[in-house]
Each structure stands twice: as structure tokens, then as C-alpha cells.
Amino acid sequence: VNARLNLLGYLDLSAYGEEYKNTGNLGMMDNVAALEWVHENIANFGGDPENVTIVGQSGGGSKVMSMMAIPSAQGLFQRVWAMSGTQTSGRTVEEAQEDAAKLIEHLGIRSWGTVNDGEYFQGTVVDGKYNENAKDIPLVLSTVFSEMGSQLQQMMFVRSDLNSVEQMYPGEPMDELTAQ
């Protein structure tokens, strides 16, 4: 799927007028538009619009997880597979507007990403609990060999006293995962 990235997809200009209200999430809106097209046309290709899995790797993994927290995307897919991608709760509107102001005034920017405006995009999917929009969507979260490294460990193990999957999920779940 082609979608706007970086400044074209996530430069929040909402502080500059109502006509720029959702500019901080244009890249995600492109993804929703693509899923709407799939939903409307997949049957023409032998597919089932009620049986769609979205898959993304690295930045795409982050985007498919973010799709779970976008109300207008609900019903356009039924499962998510994220590889080497993580998802944050997004920048706040204030942070996103501050980034835009810095760019416009000084060309000083930080990383661009989805804006948690509480309306279009509604926060992280997994933060100790599932986002309400995502609670019924099965999610496969994985990584590819050698990508993410310590970043994945930092994101998976938010608590400093945990440093392994076994410590996070002791007992039966881990036994089932490792059974041959």
C-alpha cells in the first residue's frame, strides 16, 4: 500500500486552522482508504471482505498495530500480524503541533508518527491492556531475525525487573508455546 510517510503523512498543522484538522494522521488515513478499497473490491478477486488480515513489517508493523486503534478502520480487517514493529500511544496533539512549529520556524524536527488526538487515532493497542477498539482483533506480534534487538526488549519489557518472556508469562502459556 502506498501511503504518505514522514512529513507528508504526519506533519500536524492543526494549530494553523480547522482545514488542517487531521493533517497529523494523513499517512494513516491513506491506509484506511486502502482498506476501504479492499473491503469494497476484494470479492471481485475471490476474496472475502469479512476475512481480511493486515500484515506489516518494521514501520509497517507499527502501522498495522496503529490501525487497531482507529475507529474508522474497524470492520475493514479481522486480524493483524505485526513483525518487528511496535506501536506507541502516538504523539500528543501538543507535541505534534510543537514539532510542526519547530519545523516551520527553525527546521528543527524530531521523529514523525501517528498523532494521538483521541478522535481519529485513539492510542496504543497494548499498554498493559488492549485498546477498546482492538479488544476483539487477534494479533500476531513477531520480529524478524536481527531486527529490533535491544529496542524490542525495551518495548516488551517495560518493567525493569523483567528480562525474559518466561518472566513475563510464567507457567502454562510458556509451556504451551515451547512444547514440541
Side-chain angles (χ1 to χ4, degrees), residues 27-98:
M28 296 310 296
M29 289 176 167
D30 292 343
N31 290 318
V32 172
L35 279 173
E36 288 169 341
W37 186 94
V38 168
H39 189 76
E40 294 169 12
N41 294 283
I42 194 170
N44 298 330
F45 300 93
D48 179 357
E50 303 306 317
N51 189 20
V52 174
T53 300
I54 56 175
V55 178
Q57 190 266 326
S58 194
S62 300
K63 286 174 181 58
V64 296
M65 287 187 69
S66 292
M67 295 297 285
M68 295 172 72
I70 297 176
S72 61
Q74 300 309 300
L76 299 176
F77 58 93
Q78 289 68 45
R79 284 167 304 288
V80 174
W81 187 338
M83 296 178 284
S84 298
T86 62
Q87 192 246 343
T88 68
S89 59
R91 297 175 294 153
T92 66
V93 172
E94 292 78 17
E95 290 169 334
Q97 289 175 350
E98 179 185 322

Side-chain angles (χ1 to χ4, degrees), residues 123-142:
T124 186
V125 171
V126 182
D127 185 14
K129 61 182 172 51
Y130 252 1
N131 177 296
E132 183 64 26
N133 296 305
K135 68 180 181 180
D136 295 323
I137 303 169
L139 166 66
V140 175
L141 184 59
S142 62

